[in-house]
Amino acid sequence: MAACHSICRRTFVVALYLRAAALAALCALLHSCLIWEAVFPKSEDDLNAELLGLALLASACRPYTPGLPPNTPIPPQPAENCTTPERAELGRHLFYDRRLSGDESMSCASCHQQGLGFTTRAARPNGIAHDAFPTGETHPRNSQSLANVAYFSRLTWANPAFVTLEAQAAAPLFGASGPSTIVELGLSNEGYLDKLRNDPRYLELFRRAYGSADISESRIRRSLAAFERTMLSFNSSYDRFLRGETGAINASAIRGANLFHGETAECFHCHGGFTFSDSVNHPGLPSPELFYHNNGLYLAADYAARPMRERGLIDATGQAGDEGRFRAPSLRNVGMTFPYMHDGSVACNPALAGDADACARDALQLVLNHYMNGGKRDGMGQPHPAVDQTLIRPFGLTAQEQADLIEFLMSLNDSSFLNNPAFSNPQPADSHFGI
């Protein structure tokens, strides 16, 4: 009887553990689903977009990579949405078309301007105006560059749910006001489809891209993704130097490159490789690489005072250790993508705002100061406890070394990318198109 009691008790305890584990798994799944559904409108096309993500690497598409230099990995693309010249051209039109916003005041290009490395100079840009926010809601984060976005293993600053460009496009197009989302372009019905259907240019562009003139929400997102996958930036001064053009960068930039890739500054740990980011994906990798970092920009008390959607990866995972963690952005064209950090809070002296080169160097100096201080701004107390102190710890550079490092970063600007007509507004004389 005693043996039976013991066995029954152990069985009961095991059952409790199993129930607790199942409940925890269910809670985690629900949390993930809530975050996902808060961002995306629920539709059959969204399910299709998720399937696209699962099929990401199993692509049978013929590569379409104009401008890709030799010995550079071919960017992945989903087999269900092969990038073609026709789809990219259609996507370019849609990218600049203000009719893809609720009040026709903004386009994708409004927050992703080509001459600025497909970013914007606003620290945190506003979406379109609507009843609850007459001047538009302010985005919780700075616009990320789209240069080489085809290689990003995850999109946005801190939401691992965004895997494919097709799925991510739904967020700015249809996002609504909520704890973790804002109204960006504010599409809320199918009126925008009728506007495009009444434009004969789109009937022809869709026919060329998909074999029929049917215009649908899914095809719009696929076309935007196809265009974005062609945004390849591999012709900076530093790229040309690596390809043997010895005079492409000066001696200061060469010294800066050595510092960047050395163990004193250790910049390359988070901004390494051909994308200058440690979150990358291409068919040559056994699996996508993905990392989020807390760089100490804010204290724990700062995040405690911030609303959900401004605290980093924790907003998606619910894990306390993810507070303040964001994906390291690519540094390509970094001399044009200021202000810096996930919230654009590191900006140059306003007196330099009219001089892009001086402004970039001034802001980069502030970033460098932050990291030389071990991940804390001047005057700040102890860094956030989640700061990765194996990578972010105090180090010293001479004034010349600091200037060299900044000179190297400025050599990552790619003027041929920033001015490439293939990425520019396709209809500049038409008022529907613009930033």
Side-chain angles (χ1 to χ4, degrees):
M1 188 69 182
C4 178
H5 177 76
S6 177
I7 291 172
C8 291
R9 184 178 181 183
R10 285 200 297 271
T11 303
F12 178 70
V13 170
V14 169
L16 283 179
Y17 275 115
L18 290 174
R19 289 183 60 187
L23 182 61
L26 179 61
C27 289
L29 178 61
L30 284 174
H31 181 84
S32 175
C33 291
L34 287 172
I35 291 295
W36 181 265
E37 291 176 5
V39 173
F40 298 112
K42 296 174 70 174
S43 71
E44 183 177 348
D45 283 333
D46 296 320
L47 298 176
N48 291 336
E50 292 182 51
L51 293 175
L52 283 175
L54 297 176
L56 186 61
L57 290 178
S59 175
C61 299
R62 167 185 274 181
Y64 175 64
T65 54
L68 189 71
N71 303 317
T72 304
I74 295 173
Q77 56 181 326
E80 292 80 357
N81 188 30
C82 297
T83 301
T84 65
E86 293 78 15
R87 290 189 185 183
E89 180 61 13
L90 170 56
R92 182 164 76 113
H93 278 72
L94 296 167
F95 188 86
Y96 284 94
D97 198 329
R98 296 191 185 98
R99 285 172 289 189
L100 289 187
S101 63
D103 61 359
E104 300 191 22
S105 66
M106 294 179 66
S107 66
C108 302
S110 298
C111 295
H112 298 283
Q113 300 173 30
Q114 181 185 7
L116 307 180
F118 287 100
T119 65
T120 177
R121 286 285 154 77
R124 300 193 305 163
N126 280 13
I128 67 166
H130 57 97
D131 291 344
F133 290 87
T135 59
E137 291 178 78
T138 300
H139 202 287
R141 288 181 275 280
N142 183 247
S143 296
Q144 285 198 319
S145 171
L146 299 181
N148 299 334
V149 69
Y151 294 99
F152 294 177
S153 58
R154 293 293 188 279
L155 305 165
T156 78
W157 284 95
N159 191 333
F162 290 106
V163 178
T164 68
L165 290 164
E166 286 82 358
Q168 194 277 330
L173 289 172
F174 305 105
S177 294
S180 61
T181 57
I182 69 163
V183 172
E184 296 183 49
L185 295 175
L187 296 179
S188 58
N189 54 48
E190 295 191 351
Y192 68 96
L193 294 175
D194 292 333
K195 294 175 184 176
L196 299 187
R197 287 165 182 155
N198 289 329
D199 187 334
R201 288 172 298 191
Y202 276 115
L203 298 179
E204 179 60 19
L205 286 167
F206 273 89
R207 187 192 64 75
R208 290 179 182 175
Y210 295 100
S212 75
D214 294 341
I215 298 178
S216 68
E217 183 268 344
S218 175
R219 284 185 171 183
I220 287 173
R221 285 192 287 112
R222 291 184 177 206
S223 304
L224 288 169
F227 173 53
E228 290 170 327
R229 288 194 177 95
T230 68
M231 294 179 178
L232 302 177
S233 176
F234 290 107
N235 200 36
S236 69
S237 300
Y238 183 62
D239 291 314
R240 290 186 278 112
F241 171 76
L242 292 180
R243 292 198 290 266
E245 190 177 331
T246 55
I249 61 176
N250 59 30
S252 175
I254 294 174
R255 293 193 299 269
N258 291 330
L259 286 165
F260 183 92
H261 293 101
E263 292 296 342
T264 297
E266 296 194 290
C267 311
F268 71 98
H269 285 299
C270 298
H271 296 285
F274 67 96
T275 63
F276 290 91
S277 172
D278 59 357
S279 293
V280 64
N281 184 28
H282 59 78
L285 293 173
S287 62
E289 296 177 350
L290 176 63
F291 299 95
Y292 294 94
H293 306 278
N294 183 323
N295 68 359
L297 188 62
Y298 294 109
L299 303 176
D302 297 324
Y303 286 114
R306 291 171 183 263
M308 181 178 178
R309 80 188 180 201
E310 294 187 14
R311 303 173 302 163
L313 188 60
I314 186 177
D315 293 334
T317 67
Q319 301 296 316
D322 289 335
E323 186 173 82
R325 296 181 67 198
F326 296 89
R327 185 171 61 83
S330 170
L331 297 184
R332 287 195 171 274
N333 302 294
V334 69
M336 297 302 295
T337 61
F338 56 87
Y340 303 122
M341 301 296 186
H342 69 273
D343 58 356
S345 59
V346 178
C348 71
N349 186 323
L352 301 174
D355 185 334
D357 183 86
C359 187
R361 291 174 186 273
D362 187 59
L364 286 171
Q365 182 66 61
L366 296 177
V367 174
L368 183 53
N369 292 345
H370 174 76
Y371 289 118
M372 287 195 300
N373 286 340
K376 63 177 183 179
R377 288 184 178 180
D378 293 337
M380 179 184 277
Q382 291 299 312
H384 191 287
V387 172
D388 185 350
Q389 296 186 359
T390 62
L391 296 176
I392 301 173
R393 72 302 179 264
F395 63 92
L397 296 176
T398 67
Q400 182 60 57
E401 289 173 328
Q402 294 175 45
D404 292 341
L405 188 49
I406 292 172
E407 187 70 17
F408 163 69
L409 293 172
M410 296 297 289
S411 79
L412 300 180
N413 286 352
D414 180 353
S415 61
S416 62
F417 172 77
L418 299 170
N419 299 288
N420 189 338
F423 306 139
S424 65
N425 182 353
Q427 303 287 345
D430 187 327
S431 60
H432 290 118
F433 295 82
I435 60 174

